[in-house]
Amino acid sequence: MKSVWVVRHVPFEGLGVFAAVLEQRGYQIRLIEAPLQALADLDAAEPDLLVMLGGPIGAFDEAAYPYVSQALRLVQQRIASGRKLLGVCLGAQLIARALGAQVKPMGVKEIGYAPLTLTDAGRQSVLAPLQGAGPVLHWHGDQFQIPAGATHLAGSQVCPHQAFSVGNAVLAVQFHPEADPRQLEAWLVGHAAELHAAGIDPCALRAQAAGVGDDLVQLNQRVFATWLDLPTEEGAA
């Protein structure tokens, strides 16, 4: 049976719509609570897939939240293994840092549903179905630079660096394809302080989520499933 480790930073930001895809493919899912578990004790190469999810802190916040250093090292070790690694939001920023790229605040929050624009390479990638497909969920205030040797896949009006890949093994996305719009209420409650500080009305976000429908869920699941099926050099060895 294939295994996936899901590294979660806060309880309400989980696998979302990706869970059904993994269950259908027979993955055994192990949930790792990053702030509470000794990440340094984990063998990053062990699972068939490692997913590093998002969270409300920065990828550079190890002074305030020391576990970030362990999360970064886990990502570095996973990249070195050549096995599948997906990073979402904070997870993507940690991948960027692990590859030597800068991560820093944008000076503005990008929160809500808005469209992506794919690069030429992105339109040839697993993200291709998202071009012109409507809005996806954004929820961040930091942005990664594209690491040397990585392929820039997507941007948005507010944030030009929304996704990159390294071969078929590593996919890093700043936006939230995993987020289930039917479960956004947990995000609105969990991020209530951030929304208030940013002057964002949760009622407006709730209305946006209600308007995206099941099409976005199915599209994001298809993108994820396609990426899962891509062969890697490690997998071909």
Side-chain angles (χ1 to χ4, degrees):
M1 177 180 290
K2 289 186 176 181
S3 64
V4 53
W5 289 1
V6 181
V7 184
R8 188 170 70 174
H9 301 272
V10 287
F12 56 86
E13 290 196 36
L15 271 177
V17 303
F18 289 171
V21 177
L22 292 167
E23 290 164 0
Q24 290 167 3
R25 279 167 165 68
Y27 279 82
Q28 183 177 27
I29 300 172
R30 176 184 177 185
L31 185 61
I32 296 170
E33 302 290 359
L36 303 178
Q37 187 156 348
L39 300 182
D41 294 340
L42 299 176
D43 179 1
E46 181 178 331
D48 296 282
L49 170 65
L50 179 67
V51 179
M52 181 71 69
L53 291 169
I57 63 175
F60 42 75
D61 279 348
E62 58 263 38
Y65 303 98
Y67 91 91
V68 171
S69 294
Q70 292 188 24
L72 178 62
R73 178 159 299 196
L74 185 69
V75 168
Q76 291 170 330
Q77 293 170 343
R78 182 65 182 185
I79 293 170
S81 77
R83 310 198 78 189
K84 282 284 182 84
L85 169 63
L86 172 66
V88 177
C89 198
L90 173 57
Q93 295 165 10
L94 287 168
I95 292 174
R97 272 198 67 186
L99 292 170
Q102 188 179 44
V103 180
K104 63 180 181 180
M106 296 191 299
V108 64
K109 295 284 187 178
E110 184 180 29
I111 299 177
Y113 286 87
L116 286 176
T117 300
L118 300 190
T119 64
D120 289 343
R123 287 190 287 271
Q124 304 299 318
S125 76
V126 296
L127 299 186
L130 297 177
Q131 179 66 29
V136 298
L137 180 63
H138 306 274
W139 204 303
H140 65 110
D142 298 335
Q143 179 181 209
F144 50 70
Q145 298 300 308
I146 303 300
T151 302
H152 183 197
L153 301 178
S156 66
Q157 185 174 4
V158 176
C159 175
H161 298 155
Q162 282 281 352
F164 66 86
S165 62
V166 181
N168 290 340
V170 177
L171 179 62
V173 293
Q174 182 62 66
F175 63 102
H176 285 275
E178 87 294 355
D180 190 337
R182 299 161 296 191
Q183 299 176 359
L184 193 68
E185 198 65 28
W187 292 54
L188 300 181
V189 174
H191 289 302
E194 181 183 26
L195 293 176
H196 178 75
I200 296 174
D201 183 359
C203 295
L205 291 179
R206 189 179 294 115
Q208 289 179 4
V212 299
D214 291 337
D215 288 348
L216 177 63
V217 170
Q218 295 169 5
L219 192 61
N220 285 329
Q221 287 177 328
R222 179 154 60 94
V223 167
F224 179 52
T226 300
W227 178 74
L228 279 179
D229 290 339
L230 292 178
T232 64
E233 291 185 7
E234 181 275 337

